[in-house]
Amino acid sequence: MNKPVDALLLQPNEAFADYQKNTAARIDEGAEAIAVAAGARVGISRPHESAQLHVAGEATYIDDIREHAGTLHCALGLSPVAHGRLTAMALDTIRALPGVVAVLSAADIPGPNDCGSIVHDDPILCPIETHDDGSSWGEIRYLGQPVFAVIAETRDIARRAAAKAKDVLTISAEPPVLTPQQAHAKGQYVLPPMHLVRATNEGGAQGAIAKAPRRLKGTFDVGGQEQFYLEGQISYAIPTEGGGMHVYCSTQHPSEMQHLVAHALKLHAHDVHVECRRMGGGFGGKESQSALFACVASVAAAKLKRPVKLRLDRDDDFLITGRRHCFWYEYEVGYDDAGRVLGAEVTMVSRAGHSADLSGPVMTRALCHFDNAYWLPDVAMHGYSGKTNTQSNTAFRGFGGPQGAIAIENILDTIARTLGRDPIDVRRANFYGKDTNNVTPYGQVVGDNIIHELTAELEASSDYRARRDAIAQFNATSPVLKRGLALAPLKFGISFNVKHFNQAGALVHVYSDGSILVNHGGTEMGQGLNTKVAQVVAHELGVGFDSVRVSATDTQKVANTSATAASTGADLNGKAAQDAARQIRERLAACMAAHHGGRPEDVRFANDKVEVNGKSLPFSAVVAQGYLDRVQLWSDGFYATPGLSWDREKMFGRPFYYFAYGAAVSEVVVDTLTGEWKLLRADILHDAGRSLNPAVDIGQIEGAFIQGMGWLTTEELVWHPQSGKLTTHAPSTYKIPTANDCPPVFNVKLFDGPNVEDSIHRSKAVGEPPLLLPFSVFFAIRDAISSAGEHRVDPPLTAPATSEAILRAITAVQEG
């Protein structure tokens, strides 16, 4: 007999029970209980606000919304060619199919045929246009590019009709450019190159390299990564009165969807209403790239005056949307006998894809994170966003930061091996200083540096030195299986590089029964943002967690929102919600002081009680009295991050409000005959400041670690060299990590220390920074490979370190 959900929740399996014990050991539950009793609602481990809905299958996603009568379904006709000229479309053939209601092309879009986030170079549907020489054709930019949209009575009919694209499109194919190296060789970029240079000595980076006792020169490759959100791209557009449009969209950026849909329909922003209660994952893939689907669904709905839903199949999602940028590096460094870098020059070339999308900001962040945790006195960095005939790459957790930082980590790892020193000692020799050597190449002072003490604590708690010796002894007697160990530190800047994005708004409503509703501009994608914002409001008003509810992100409630990205969700929206709640609390305090005496500033709100002049009143009674006294029981709140500046042309300023820090130690075993490997143990110490919710933050750290490990090891993107088709476009060929890839020993702990900046309750962001922690896995694999050649040859390992790549590196090491 099936057990009820509640009973199942009370009977976790053995593995989950072990996980619970491990989590409890990392969270001081006794201290949290005391804090709650004292009135604290932040710094407390609370379940995700939708946890019960998730496990019960009751959480509503876009595809779960009850469909309106007359709803139609849309599918996209995709280009079967990666590069060429579209000269004709026989769409009447598809229009004649049973169940097909309409087939739309670029000519049916009322407004601009563009969904570019920053640069307007990204067509919604490929247009056929008349050119200066009188010829008519449209540029096919990649295999999978949407050319037309089929609207049908059912999703199955729409998909089957759209699949006939190869039969109705006339395209003259041309050779595609697929790799960043090819684009760089052709000088083919989606944006002008970027250069970030610091010269502390005459001659700059090249002068310092020339004078250095030792030099290193090489290249390196890092692959891209598919977001692989569980809920694919989806939009549901419903026409409203007066020519308006209500769009339910799985997006990290409702305001941008509102603006782009309005442009496509030639409407004002106030005519378009975008709503998102939650996403089934985003990871950056729904920051800008949800726009095409929102626009197509809305154009179809407006033209047919019926609701239209567009939900992508997983294969189509892979073929249409972009992902993390792959990077190719060419570098030269000079260093001394201690491994200190004296000068460095690096060229980074990304695979941007066919349009700019967010490639500019991604490259900016990559350049600003090449330093990672290290002082680089003379440095010259050059960033090129290669234009390729592939999907337009976009945001992904880390947003270029991981691609920038792994380059210097690879360099330092090679320097350590060349010198015969432990990599941790070379890394420590290059760390930023506290009072000197503490300015980044872009001019920001690193004033919150805790990397020294954090790394020292992890080195001791992970028993790094003893394990290093034990691994050397194991490898000396094991000819086939080789173990490797690595420690990787991180410093990650928190804020949008674009200053004006660092703002947020919120609404807080206190109802006359004492219950509270919150709305803010951030979006919930499973990361726990709504949970943290609810805790902030509960803390500010002194009520229980269950008194606060957070509603769907809605462009008709909070306007002009920024994307939930750059790890700023809780920082920005938490502060805005706190501001709104504080205004209400102060009004109620003044009201109570007027009734019961005392000063308003002495009125205390905690544990659903209000203490005023020696009296203890229920919060609900105070609210009821406030209503009778005509006290405003709702408020808007606003927050803008202070102190930021950024000169995009000079690549100079203070782009980040603060830095988050962390470090991880990973131990692996590699089979030198097959290239297979296993992560045996991971120890993580991460800086979350004064965590708003330790359980949620630890979950984010664990998830980021495993996701980043997948990027660097198993998740390989392969395009066919002739056709340009992405061949790894489904779970059968694209391998993300599973629960079985988690290490049997997984120790995660939060570093004890507040944020020096006035962030929300002195917490720090945890969305993106932990994705750099699995660098330790990659370099542990590299260490194991190196041992196969007794550490005489630097392993030529690239990422992802698939079994094939590992075998190639082992062969090179053994033959060297």
Side-chain angles (χ1 to χ4, degrees):
M1 188 173 77
N2 291 330
K3 298 179 181 179
V5 171
D6 287 346
L8 291 173
L9 290 176
L10 295 174
Q11 298 178 27
N13 60 37
E14 184 177 343
F16 186 63
D18 290 342
Y19 175 80
Q20 286 180 314
K21 292 176 184 176
N22 192 22
T23 300
R26 293 171 286 172
I27 296 172
D28 192 337
E29 293 180 339
E32 287 193 3
I34 293 172
V36 170
R41 297 295 182 265
V42 295
I44 308 300
S45 295
R46 290 285 301 169
H48 190 285
E49 50 96 22
S50 295
Q52 179 121 359
L53 298 176
H54 289 155
V55 297
E58 296 175 358
T60 300
Y61 296 89
I62 303 299
D63 203 36
D64 299 316
I65 296 171
R66 189 181 298 276
E67 293 179 2
H68 289 223
T71 293
L72 299 172
H73 297 266
C74 181
L76 297 171
L78 310 180
S79 168
V81 172
H83 187 210
R85 292 187 175 188
L86 171 67
T87 56
M89 297 185 286
L91 299 183
D92 286 342
T93 304
I94 296 178
R95 291 187 179 106
L97 293 173
V100 171
V101 176
V103 180
L104 306 182
S105 67
D108 295 297
I109 299 173
N113 178 26
D114 179 78
C115 59
S117 181
I118 301 173
V119 180
H120 300 302
D121 64 345
D122 204 341
I124 299 168
L125 298 173
C126 180
I128 294 180
E129 300 172 314
T130 301
H131 297 268
D132 292 340
D133 61 0
S135 61
S136 295
W137 51 271
E139 181 188 11
I140 293 295
R141 301 178 173 191
Y142 68 101
L143 193 154
Q145 180 178 358
V147 179
F148 60 88
V150 177
I151 298 87
E153 295 291 350
T154 70
R155 182 170 179 267
D156 184 63
I157 293 173
R159 288 189 62 218
R160 289 178 182 276
K164 296 183 180 294
K166 61 182 180 296
D167 301 323
V168 301
L169 301 179
T170 303
I171 303 173
S172 57
E174 299 174 10
V177 173
L178 300 175
T179 70
Q181 295 96 316
Q182 290 173 331
H184 192 46
K186 289 176 172 287
Q188 187 171 295
Y189 312 112
V190 296
L191 295 163
M194 301 178 185
H195 305 282
L196 201 171
V197 177
R198 172 167 65 188
T200 62
N201 297 291
E202 187 177 351
Q206 279 300 321
I209 293 168
K211 296 175 185 176
R214 294 172 176 267
R215 300 178 201 173
L216 173 66
K217 193 173 185 179
T219 62
F220 185 51
D221 284 277
V222 173
Q225 185 181 22
E226 169 64 30
Q227 290 90 355
F228 217 102
Y229 25 67
L230 289 180
E231 177 200 32
Q233 297 280 2
I234 181 171
S235 287
Y236 184 27
I238 303 167
T240 59
E241 63 181 18
M245 190 64 62
H246 187 176
V247 185
Y248 294 96
C249 183
S250 184
T251 179
Q252 295 171 237
H253 202 343
S255 287
E256 183 170 290
M257 300 308 106
Q258 177 192 31
H259 296 149
L260 289 172
V261 168
H263 291 158
L265 296 179
K266 292 187 76 172
L267 298 174
H268 294 293
H270 68 208
D271 296 315
V272 179
H273 175 197
V274 178
E275 187 175 347
C276 179
R277 171 60 183 90
R278 60 173 62 83
M279 287 167 276
F283 307 115
K286 296 176 181 177
E287 182 175 344
S288 63
Q289 300 231 336
S290 45
L292 187 150
F293 314 106
C295 288
V296 170
S298 298
V299 167
K303 186 175 184 66
L304 300 174
K305 302 191 185 309
R306 291 173 64 178
V308 174
K309 181 188 286 188
L310 198 173
R311 173 168 67 87
L312 288 190
D313 174 80
R314 178 68 65 181
D315 293 80
D316 288 346
D317 203 321
F318 262 86
L319 289 173
I320 297 171
T321 65
R323 45 197 61 86
R324 185 188 300 282
H325 295 67
C326 80
F327 270 59
W328 175 78
Y329 313 85
E330 190 172 32
Y331 58 83
E332 185 177 10
V333 298
Y335 61 98
D336 63 18
D337 292 339
R340 283 187 290 266
V341 174
L342 305 175
E345 183 158 16
V346 61
T347 294
M348 304 183 188
V349 186
S350 71
R351 179 192 275 127
H354 72 92
S355 67
D357 197 82
L358 298 174
S359 293
V362 165
M363 182 58 75
T364 298
R365 188 168 282 263
L367 296 173
C368 288
H369 281 77
F370 175 68
D371 63 326
N372 195 17
Y374 311 110
W375 161 251
L376 304 175
D378 288 273
V379 62
M381 295 174 275
H382 315 288
Y384 299 87
S385 300
K387 185 174 184 178
T388 55
N389 296 118
T390 58
Q391 296 80 7
S392 190
N393 285 328
T394 189
F396 194 132
R397 196 176 196 171
F399 203 77
Q403 294 99 310
I406 197 170
I408 190 65
E409 293 297 339
N410 190 67
I411 289 168
L412 293 179
D413 193 65
T414 296
I415 289 173
R417 190 167 289 104
T418 303
L419 294 174
R421 302 191 65 194
D422 193 301
I424 192 177
D425 296 324
V426 171
R427 288 182 165 93
R428 185 171 280 125
N430 285 282
F431 277 164
Y432 274 109
K434 298 275 189 175
D435 301 312
T436 59
N437 296 343
N438 64 343
V439 180
T440 67
Y442 47 89
Q444 179 164 347
V445 175
V446 183
D448 55 3
N449 189 354
I450 57 171
I451 197 64
H452 298 268
E453 47 266 54
L454 186 150
T455 304
E457 182 178 332
L458 180 63
E459 181 184 1
S461 65
S462 66
D463 206 15
Y464 177 88
R465 299 288 179 178
R467 288 166 64 194
R468 170 67 74 192
D469 293 339
I471 286 171
Q473 294 175 16
F474 173 88
N475 288 340
T477 58
S478 177
V480 175
L481 299 180
K482 298 293 184 181
R483 291 192 175 189
L485 186 72
L487 184 152
L490 72 89
K491 172 185 69 66
F492 195 91
I494 303 299
S495 288
F496 288 100
N497 277 71
V498 179
K499 180 181 176 181
H500 67 264
F501 289 165
N502 295 282
Q503 59 175 300
L507 295 173
V508 174
H509 294 176
V510 178
Y511 295 99
S512 57
D513 65 351
S515 63
I516 300 161
L517 182 69
V518 181
N519 190 271
H520 59 84
T523 52
E524 176 63 51
M525 60 196 93
Q527 82 280 38
L529 174 59
N530 285 350
T531 307
K532 289 183 174 182
V533 171
Q535 287 182 258
V536 167
V537 172
H539 185 85
E540 202 66 27
L541 292 174
V543 299
F545 298 110
D546 294 336
S547 296
V548 183
R549 183 184 183 98
V550 181
S551 59
T553 310
D554 189 325
T555 57
Q556 289 190 348
K557 294 180 180 177
V558 177
N560 307 318
T561 61
S562 295
T564 305
S567 301
T568 61
D571 282 3
L572 296 176
N573 297 286
K575 276 283 195 181
Q578 182 188 48
D579 178 43
R582 181 175 294 157
Q583 294 177 55
I584 298 171
R585 189 194 71 208
E586 290 173 351
R587 293 173 196 147
L588 288 173
C591 176
M592 288 302 100
H595 276 277
H596 302 286
R599 300 186 308 167
E601 56 267 32
D602 294 331
V603 178
R604 183 171 181 266
F605 292 70
N607 295 323
D608 295 301
K609 301 287 185 182
V610 178
E611 307 291 337
V612 51
N613 200 22
K615 297 178 182 179
S616 180
L617 306 172
F619 178 78
S620 57
V622 169
V623 170
Q625 184 62 57
Y627 173 71
L628 294 176
D629 288 353
R630 297 187 295 179
V631 173
Q632 182 181 331
L633 296 176
W634 62 270
S635 185
D636 62 323
F638 181 77
Y639 176 73
T641 309
L644 302 179
S645 64
W646 182 245
D647 188 320
R648 188 179 62 177
E649 300 301 322
K650 297 179 180 178
M651 300 283 284
F652 191 85
R654 185 193 177 187
F656 307 120
Y657 188 37
Y658 61 85
F659 296 101
Y661 300 85
V665 173
S666 291
E667 181 178 344
V668 303
V669 61
V670 173
D671 186 329
T672 59
L673 298 181
T674 66
E676 295 175 291
W677 64 278
K678 179 72 176 176
L679 176 60
L680 302 175
R681 175 177 169 181
D683 295 81
I684 295 171
L685 183 60
H686 192 76
D687 165 36
R690 290 281 183 243
S691 172
L692 293 172
N693 187 320
V696 165
D697 285 349
I698 287 174
Q700 283 291 293
I701 293 164
E702 291 171 338
F705 182 86
I706 298 301
Q707 187 175 54
M709 182 178 77
W711 166 48
L712 295 172
T713 58
T714 63
E715 299 184 43
E716 185 175 26
L717 294 162
V718 179
W719 282 264
H720 191 282
Q722 278 79 48
S723 71
K725 182 176 182 178
L726 177 64
T727 59
T728 51
H729 58 82
S732 58
T733 51
Y734 185 80
K735 298 300 181 181
I736 65 172
T738 69
N740 290 331
D741 296 302
C742 296
V745 180
F746 199 6
N747 301 317
V748 182
K749 182 182 176 184
L750 300 180
F751 183 75
D752 186 20
N755 192 343
V756 300
E757 298 293 349
D758 183 25
S759 59
I760 183 68
H761 291 286
R762 300 286 174 171
S763 64
K764 286 191 177 183
V766 293
E768 295 175 302
L771 199 126
L772 281 67
L773 295 169
F775 287 2
S776 59
V777 176
F778 179 81
F779 291 111
I781 293 173
R782 206 167 185 253
D783 182 53
I785 294 170
S786 178
S787 70
E790 299 181 0
H791 301 293
R792 293 188 306 268
V793 178
D794 195 54
L797 184 66
T798 57
T802 60
S803 294
E804 295 87 347
I806 290 171
L807 278 179
R808 288 193 294 269
I810 289 171
T811 300
V813 164
Q814 291 175 336
E815 291 179 350

